[in-house]
Short mmCIF file of all heavy atoms in Angstrom, two decimals:
data_model
loop_
_atom_site.label_atom_id
_atom_site.label_comp_id
_atom_site.label_asym_id
_atom_site.label_seq_id
_atom_site.Cartn_x
_atom_site.Cartn_y
_atom_site.Cartn_z
N SER X 279 -38.06 24.83 -38.12
CA SER X 279 -38.20 23.78 -37.08
C SER X 279 -39.17 24.39 -36.05
O SER X 279 -39.41 23.69 -35.00
CB SER X 279 -36.81 23.48 -36.52
OG SER X 279 -36.07 22.75 -37.42
N ASN X 280 -39.65 25.61 -36.09
CA ASN X 280 -40.60 26.13 -35.15
C ASN X 280 -41.98 26.14 -35.72
O ASN X 280 -42.99 26.65 -35.09
CB ASN X 280 -40.19 27.54 -34.71
CG ASN X 280 -38.97 27.43 -33.75
OD1 ASN X 280 -37.85 27.50 -34.24
ND2 ASN X 280 -39.21 27.32 -32.47
N VAL X 281 -42.22 25.63 -36.96
CA VAL X 281 -43.49 25.48 -37.51
C VAL X 281 -44.47 24.73 -36.61
O VAL X 281 -44.10 23.68 -36.03
CB VAL X 281 -43.45 24.86 -38.94
CG1 VAL X 281 -44.90 24.55 -39.41
CG2 VAL X 281 -42.86 25.76 -39.89
N GLY X 282 -45.69 25.26 -36.34
CA GLY X 282 -46.57 24.64 -35.39
C GLY X 282 -46.52 25.29 -34.11
O GLY X 282 -47.42 25.02 -33.22
N LYS X 283 -45.55 26.08 -33.79
CA LYS X 283 -45.38 26.72 -32.54
C LYS X 283 -45.37 28.26 -32.74
O LYS X 283 -44.62 28.99 -32.07
CB LYS X 283 -44.09 26.34 -31.80
CG LYS X 283 -43.87 24.76 -31.78
CD LYS X 283 -44.89 24.30 -30.66
CE LYS X 283 -44.65 22.84 -30.35
NZ LYS X 283 -45.58 22.30 -29.26
N HIS X 284 -46.21 28.72 -33.61
CA HIS X 284 -46.18 30.13 -34.01
C HIS X 284 -46.51 31.08 -32.79
O HIS X 284 -45.99 32.29 -32.75
CB HIS X 284 -47.17 30.44 -35.18
CG HIS X 284 -48.52 29.85 -34.96
ND1 HIS X 284 -48.80 28.50 -35.33
CD2 HIS X 284 -49.65 30.41 -34.49
CE1 HIS X 284 -50.11 28.39 -35.06
NE2 HIS X 284 -50.56 29.42 -34.58
N GLU X 285 -47.28 30.71 -31.89
CA GLU X 285 -47.80 31.60 -30.77
C GLU X 285 -46.49 31.88 -29.90
O GLU X 285 -46.34 33.03 -29.46
CB GLU X 285 -48.92 31.02 -30.11
CG GLU X 285 -50.26 31.06 -30.86
CD GLU X 285 -51.40 30.47 -30.04
OE1 GLU X 285 -51.20 30.03 -29.00
OE2 GLU X 285 -52.51 30.59 -30.66
N GLU X 286 -45.76 30.81 -29.58
CA GLU X 286 -44.58 30.97 -28.71
C GLU X 286 -43.43 31.50 -29.46
O GLU X 286 -42.46 32.00 -28.84
CB GLU X 286 -44.30 29.65 -27.97
CG GLU X 286 -43.86 28.60 -28.86
CD GLU X 286 -43.67 27.25 -28.16
OE1 GLU X 286 -44.51 26.98 -27.12
OE2 GLU X 286 -42.88 26.41 -28.50
N PHE X 287 -43.48 31.41 -30.67
CA PHE X 287 -42.31 31.87 -31.59
C PHE X 287 -42.05 33.34 -31.31
O PHE X 287 -41.00 33.70 -31.31
CB PHE X 287 -42.47 31.63 -33.06
CG PHE X 287 -41.43 32.08 -34.03
CD1 PHE X 287 -40.36 31.24 -34.18
CD2 PHE X 287 -41.61 33.23 -34.63
CE1 PHE X 287 -39.37 31.70 -35.08
CE2 PHE X 287 -40.53 33.74 -35.41
CZ PHE X 287 -39.45 32.98 -35.74
N VAL X 288 -43.09 34.15 -31.39
CA VAL X 288 -42.96 35.62 -31.31
C VAL X 288 -42.19 36.08 -30.11
O VAL X 288 -41.13 36.70 -30.20
CB VAL X 288 -44.29 36.29 -31.37
CG1 VAL X 288 -44.12 37.81 -31.19
CG2 VAL X 288 -44.96 36.12 -32.74
N PRO X 289 -42.60 35.72 -28.82
CA PRO X 289 -41.77 36.20 -27.67
C PRO X 289 -40.40 35.54 -27.67
O PRO X 289 -39.49 36.18 -27.16
CB PRO X 289 -42.65 35.71 -26.48
CG PRO X 289 -43.45 34.66 -27.01
CD PRO X 289 -43.81 35.03 -28.42
N ARG X 290 -40.19 34.35 -28.15
CA ARG X 290 -38.90 33.69 -28.05
C ARG X 290 -37.94 34.30 -29.05
O ARG X 290 -36.83 34.37 -28.80
CB ARG X 290 -39.09 32.15 -28.35
CG ARG X 290 -39.81 31.61 -27.12
CD ARG X 290 -39.90 30.05 -27.15
NE ARG X 290 -40.84 29.59 -25.94
CZ ARG X 290 -41.01 28.34 -25.63
NH1 ARG X 290 -40.32 27.36 -26.30
NH2 ARG X 290 -41.79 28.01 -24.59
N MET X 291 -38.45 34.69 -30.29
CA MET X 291 -37.69 35.13 -31.28
C MET X 291 -37.27 36.64 -30.86
O MET X 291 -36.12 37.12 -31.03
CB MET X 291 -38.43 35.25 -32.56
CG MET X 291 -37.47 35.71 -33.82
SD MET X 291 -36.13 34.43 -34.12
CE MET X 291 -34.97 35.50 -34.90
N LYS X 292 -38.13 37.30 -30.09
CA LYS X 292 -37.73 38.60 -29.68
C LYS X 292 -36.65 38.53 -28.61
O LYS X 292 -35.74 39.36 -28.52
CB LYS X 292 -38.97 39.28 -29.03
CG LYS X 292 -40.11 39.79 -29.97
CD LYS X 292 -41.29 40.50 -29.26
CE LYS X 292 -42.25 40.98 -30.20
NZ LYS X 292 -43.33 41.65 -29.51
N GLU X 293 -36.77 37.51 -27.75
CA GLU X 293 -35.60 37.29 -26.75
C GLU X 293 -34.32 36.94 -27.44
O GLU X 293 -33.32 37.33 -27.01
CB GLU X 293 -36.17 36.13 -25.78
CG GLU X 293 -35.02 35.82 -24.82
CD GLU X 293 -34.62 36.93 -23.93
OE1 GLU X 293 -35.31 38.00 -23.75
OE2 GLU X 293 -33.39 36.85 -23.42
N LEU X 294 -34.40 36.03 -28.54
CA LEU X 294 -33.21 35.80 -29.22
C LEU X 294 -32.52 37.04 -29.77
O LEU X 294 -31.35 37.27 -29.67
CB LEU X 294 -33.58 34.80 -30.40
CG LEU X 294 -32.34 34.25 -31.21
CD1 LEU X 294 -32.50 32.88 -31.67
CD2 LEU X 294 -32.03 35.17 -32.48
N ILE X 295 -33.28 37.87 -30.41
CA ILE X 295 -32.69 39.13 -30.90
C ILE X 295 -32.07 39.99 -29.83
O ILE X 295 -31.01 40.52 -29.97
CB ILE X 295 -33.77 39.92 -31.71
CG1 ILE X 295 -34.33 39.16 -33.02
CG2 ILE X 295 -33.23 41.30 -32.06
CD1 ILE X 295 -35.45 39.78 -33.59
N ARG X 296 -32.77 40.16 -28.65
CA ARG X 296 -32.21 40.82 -27.60
C ARG X 296 -30.95 40.19 -27.01
O ARG X 296 -29.88 40.85 -26.86
CB ARG X 296 -33.17 40.77 -26.37
CG ARG X 296 -32.79 41.80 -25.24
CD ARG X 296 -33.33 41.26 -23.91
NE ARG X 296 -32.87 39.88 -23.49
CZ ARG X 296 -31.65 39.74 -23.07
NH1 ARG X 296 -30.83 40.78 -22.81
NH2 ARG X 296 -31.31 38.50 -22.70
N GLN X 297 -30.83 38.81 -26.91
CA GLN X 297 -29.71 38.10 -26.59
C GLN X 297 -28.55 38.34 -27.56
O GLN X 297 -27.43 38.55 -27.02
CB GLN X 297 -30.02 36.58 -26.42
CG GLN X 297 -28.87 35.77 -25.91
CD GLN X 297 -28.45 36.11 -24.51
OE1 GLN X 297 -29.29 36.08 -23.60
NE2 GLN X 297 -27.08 36.33 -24.23
N PHE X 298 -28.77 38.12 -28.76
CA PHE X 298 -27.68 38.30 -29.89
C PHE X 298 -27.14 39.66 -29.79
O PHE X 298 -25.98 39.91 -29.84
CB PHE X 298 -28.30 38.06 -31.24
CG PHE X 298 -28.15 36.66 -31.53
CD1 PHE X 298 -28.60 35.57 -30.72
CD2 PHE X 298 -27.78 36.25 -32.84
CE1 PHE X 298 -28.48 34.20 -31.04
CE2 PHE X 298 -27.67 34.88 -33.25
CZ PHE X 298 -28.04 33.83 -32.29
N ARG X 299 -28.01 40.73 -29.63
CA ARG X 299 -27.40 42.10 -29.50
C ARG X 299 -26.66 42.25 -28.23
O ARG X 299 -25.48 42.85 -28.34
CB ARG X 299 -28.55 43.03 -29.66
CG ARG X 299 -29.26 43.17 -31.00
CD ARG X 299 -30.51 44.03 -30.97
NE ARG X 299 -30.92 44.33 -32.29
CZ ARG X 299 -32.08 44.82 -32.66
NH1 ARG X 299 -32.93 45.08 -31.76
NH2 ARG X 299 -32.39 45.14 -33.87
N ALA X 300 -27.05 41.66 -27.09
CA ALA X 300 -26.32 41.81 -25.89
C ALA X 300 -24.89 41.12 -25.97
O ALA X 300 -23.95 41.52 -25.46
CB ALA X 300 -27.18 41.22 -24.74
N ASP X 301 -24.95 40.01 -26.69
CA ASP X 301 -23.72 39.28 -26.86
C ASP X 301 -22.69 40.07 -27.65
O ASP X 301 -21.46 39.77 -27.45
CB ASP X 301 -23.99 37.90 -27.69
CG ASP X 301 -24.63 36.81 -26.76
OD1 ASP X 301 -24.72 37.03 -25.53
OD2 ASP X 301 -25.17 35.89 -27.24
N PHE X 302 -23.09 41.01 -28.36
CA PHE X 302 -22.15 41.76 -29.26
C PHE X 302 -22.17 43.28 -28.76
O PHE X 302 -21.80 44.11 -29.52
CB PHE X 302 -22.44 41.53 -30.70
CG PHE X 302 -22.10 40.18 -31.15
CD1 PHE X 302 -23.06 39.16 -31.02
CD2 PHE X 302 -20.87 39.87 -31.66
CE1 PHE X 302 -22.71 37.86 -31.39
CE2 PHE X 302 -20.49 38.59 -32.04
CZ PHE X 302 -21.44 37.59 -31.95
N GLY X 303 -22.46 43.48 -27.45
CA GLY X 303 -22.25 44.71 -26.84
C GLY X 303 -23.27 45.75 -27.23
O GLY X 303 -22.91 46.94 -27.21
N ASP X 304 -24.48 45.36 -27.67
CA ASP X 304 -25.41 46.32 -28.25
C ASP X 304 -26.74 46.41 -27.35
O ASP X 304 -27.74 45.85 -27.68
CB ASP X 304 -25.88 45.97 -29.66
CG ASP X 304 -26.82 46.97 -30.25
OD1 ASP X 304 -26.81 48.14 -29.96
OD2 ASP X 304 -27.70 46.44 -31.00
N ASP X 305 -26.54 47.05 -26.25
CA ASP X 305 -27.67 47.18 -25.36
C ASP X 305 -28.75 48.18 -25.78
O ASP X 305 -29.83 48.24 -25.30
CB ASP X 305 -27.14 47.48 -23.88
CG ASP X 305 -26.30 46.37 -23.29
OD1 ASP X 305 -26.59 45.22 -23.55
OD2 ASP X 305 -25.38 46.84 -22.57
N ALA X 306 -28.28 49.04 -26.76
CA ALA X 306 -29.22 50.06 -27.18
C ALA X 306 -29.99 49.69 -28.40
O ALA X 306 -30.66 50.44 -29.06
CB ALA X 306 -28.47 51.41 -27.39
N ALA X 307 -29.91 48.41 -28.88
CA ALA X 307 -30.76 47.92 -29.99
C ALA X 307 -30.28 48.65 -31.29
O ALA X 307 -31.16 48.94 -32.03
CB ALA X 307 -32.15 47.93 -29.78
N ARG X 308 -29.09 49.00 -31.40
CA ARG X 308 -28.65 49.67 -32.61
C ARG X 308 -28.31 48.72 -33.75
O ARG X 308 -28.37 49.06 -34.91
CB ARG X 308 -27.47 50.54 -32.34
CG ARG X 308 -27.73 51.79 -31.47
CD ARG X 308 -26.58 52.62 -31.35
NE ARG X 308 -25.46 52.09 -30.60
CZ ARG X 308 -25.35 52.08 -29.32
NH1 ARG X 308 -26.27 52.77 -28.55
NH2 ARG X 308 -24.42 51.42 -28.71
N LEU X 309 -27.83 47.61 -33.34
CA LEU X 309 -27.45 46.46 -34.40
C LEU X 309 -28.68 46.09 -35.12
O LEU X 309 -29.56 45.53 -34.64
CB LEU X 309 -26.70 45.38 -33.84
CG LEU X 309 -25.25 45.58 -33.35
CD1 LEU X 309 -24.62 44.38 -32.74
CD2 LEU X 309 -24.39 46.22 -34.47
N PRO X 310 -28.61 46.28 -36.50
CA PRO X 310 -29.80 45.76 -37.27
C PRO X 310 -29.96 44.29 -37.28
O PRO X 310 -28.89 43.54 -37.22
CB PRO X 310 -29.60 46.36 -38.68
CG PRO X 310 -28.08 46.52 -38.75
CD PRO X 310 -27.63 46.88 -37.36
N PHE X 311 -31.18 43.72 -37.36
CA PHE X 311 -31.38 42.29 -37.33
C PHE X 311 -32.38 41.94 -38.45
O PHE X 311 -33.53 42.38 -38.31
CB PHE X 311 -32.00 41.83 -36.04
CG PHE X 311 -31.75 40.31 -35.85
CD1 PHE X 311 -30.86 39.85 -34.90
CD2 PHE X 311 -32.77 39.42 -36.36
CE1 PHE X 311 -30.76 38.54 -34.67
CE2 PHE X 311 -32.53 38.07 -36.08
CZ PHE X 311 -31.55 37.64 -35.29
N TYR X 312 -31.92 41.43 -39.59
CA TYR X 312 -32.72 41.22 -40.78
C TYR X 312 -32.94 39.75 -40.96
O TYR X 312 -32.01 38.95 -41.11
CB TYR X 312 -32.13 41.90 -42.05
CG TYR X 312 -31.81 43.37 -41.85
CD1 TYR X 312 -30.60 43.93 -42.26
CD2 TYR X 312 -32.80 44.22 -41.24
CE1 TYR X 312 -30.38 45.38 -42.13
CE2 TYR X 312 -32.63 45.60 -41.10
CZ TYR X 312 -31.39 46.14 -41.55
OH TYR X 312 -31.07 47.51 -41.39
N THR X 313 -34.25 39.40 -41.23
CA THR X 313 -34.60 38.02 -41.22
C THR X 313 -35.25 37.61 -42.52
O THR X 313 -35.55 38.45 -43.33
CB THR X 313 -35.58 37.64 -40.13
OG1 THR X 313 -36.86 38.45 -40.32
CG2 THR X 313 -35.07 38.14 -38.71
N CYS X 314 -35.45 36.27 -42.75
CA CYS X 314 -36.01 35.86 -43.98
C CYS X 314 -37.29 35.00 -43.63
O CYS X 314 -37.34 34.40 -42.65
CB CYS X 314 -35.15 34.86 -44.65
SG CYS X 314 -33.45 35.43 -45.06
N GLU X 315 -38.30 35.01 -44.41
CA GLU X 315 -39.47 34.12 -44.27
C GLU X 315 -39.00 32.77 -44.41
O GLU X 315 -38.05 32.42 -45.16
CB GLU X 315 -40.48 34.37 -45.37
CG GLU X 315 -41.32 35.63 -45.29
CD GLU X 315 -42.33 35.79 -46.38
OE1 GLU X 315 -42.17 34.98 -47.41
OE2 GLU X 315 -43.18 36.55 -46.36
N ILE X 316 -39.52 31.81 -43.69
CA ILE X 316 -39.23 30.39 -43.88
C ILE X 316 -39.50 29.95 -45.30
O ILE X 316 -40.36 30.46 -46.01
CB ILE X 316 -39.98 29.43 -43.02
CG1 ILE X 316 -41.58 29.67 -43.10
CG2 ILE X 316 -39.51 29.67 -41.45
CD1 ILE X 316 -42.30 28.59 -42.30
N ALA X 317 -38.83 28.92 -45.78
CA ALA X 317 -38.78 28.47 -47.13
C ALA X 317 -40.23 27.88 -47.40
O ALA X 317 -40.78 27.16 -46.65
CB ALA X 317 -37.77 27.45 -47.41
N PRO X 318 -40.73 28.16 -48.56
CA PRO X 318 -41.95 27.37 -49.04
C PRO X 318 -41.57 25.94 -49.25
O PRO X 318 -40.60 25.43 -49.72
CB PRO X 318 -42.27 27.91 -50.42
CG PRO X 318 -41.67 29.33 -50.47
CD PRO X 318 -40.41 29.13 -49.59
N TYR X 319 -42.53 25.13 -48.58
CA TYR X 319 -42.26 23.64 -48.47
C TYR X 319 -43.53 22.97 -48.02
O TYR X 319 -44.37 23.49 -47.36
CB TYR X 319 -41.06 23.42 -47.50
CG TYR X 319 -40.80 21.99 -47.18
CD1 TYR X 319 -40.10 21.24 -48.08
CD2 TYR X 319 -41.15 21.47 -45.91
CE1 TYR X 319 -39.81 19.90 -47.81
CE2 TYR X 319 -40.66 20.13 -45.56
CZ TYR X 319 -40.06 19.36 -46.58
OH TYR X 319 -39.73 18.02 -46.25
N ASP X 320 -43.68 21.69 -48.41
CA ASP X 320 -44.83 20.90 -48.00
C ASP X 320 -44.57 20.44 -46.50
O ASP X 320 -44.07 19.31 -46.21
CB ASP X 320 -45.07 19.67 -48.84
CG ASP X 320 -46.27 18.93 -48.57
OD1 ASP X 320 -47.05 19.33 -47.61
OD2 ASP X 320 -46.53 17.91 -49.26
N TYR X 321 -45.01 21.36 -45.55
CA TYR X 321 -44.86 20.92 -44.15
C TYR X 321 -46.01 20.07 -43.62
O TYR X 321 -45.90 19.69 -42.47
CB TYR X 321 -44.81 22.25 -43.32
CG TYR X 321 -43.65 23.23 -43.52
CD1 TYR X 321 -43.76 24.22 -44.49
CD2 TYR X 321 -42.55 23.04 -42.88
CE1 TYR X 321 -42.63 25.06 -44.81
CE2 TYR X 321 -41.43 23.90 -43.02
CZ TYR X 321 -41.50 24.87 -44.04
OH TYR X 321 -40.48 25.76 -44.30
N GLY X 322 -46.93 19.66 -44.56
CA GLY X 322 -47.95 18.83 -44.10
C GLY X 322 -49.08 19.59 -43.41
O GLY X 322 -49.88 19.02 -42.58
N GLY X 323 -49.20 20.80 -43.68
CA GLY X 323 -50.20 21.68 -43.05
C GLY X 323 -51.66 21.49 -43.72
O GLY X 323 -51.76 21.04 -44.79
N ASP X 324 -52.72 21.89 -42.88
CA ASP X 324 -54.02 21.88 -43.34
C ASP X 324 -54.31 23.23 -43.98
O ASP X 324 -53.50 24.00 -44.36
CB ASP X 324 -55.00 21.55 -42.20
CG ASP X 324 -54.81 22.57 -41.03
OD1 ASP X 324 -54.21 23.54 -41.24
OD2 ASP X 324 -55.24 22.25 -39.89
N GLN X 325 -55.70 23.55 -44.15
CA GLN X 325 -56.05 24.73 -44.82
C GLN X 325 -55.67 26.02 -44.03
O GLN X 325 -55.20 26.96 -44.64
CB GLN X 325 -57.56 24.83 -44.94
CG GLN X 325 -58.01 26.04 -45.76
CD GLN X 325 -59.55 26.04 -46.00
OE1 GLN X 325 -60.29 25.87 -45.03
NE2 GLN X 325 -60.08 26.18 -47.16
N GLU X 326 -55.57 25.91 -42.68
CA GLU X 326 -55.06 27.18 -41.95
C GLU X 326 -53.61 27.29 -42.10
O GLU X 326 -53.06 28.41 -42.11
CB GLU X 326 -55.28 26.77 -40.44
CG GLU X 326 -56.75 26.85 -39.98
CD GLU X 326 -57.25 28.27 -39.98
OE1 GLU X 326 -56.47 29.20 -39.51
OE2 GLU X 326 -58.42 28.52 -40.33
#
Side-chain angles (χ1 to χ4, degrees):
S279 291
N280 288 90
V281 168
K283 303 290 185 180
H284 48 276
E285 291 182 354
E286 64 187 33
F287 178 85
V288 173
R290 295 184 184 189
M291 190 63 202
K292 288 181 177 180
E293 175 57 26
L294 181 145
I295 295 171
R296 188 208 63 77
Q297 179 69 52
F298 271 44
R299 286 171 168 167
D301 284 346
F302 291 85
D304 179 33
D305 296 327
R308 288 184 296 270
L309 287 179
F311 199 103
Y312 302 136
T313 67
C314 307
E315 287 180 347
I316 58 171
Y319 174 72
D320 186 0
Y321 295 90
D324 55 18
Q325 189 179 44
E326 288 287 321

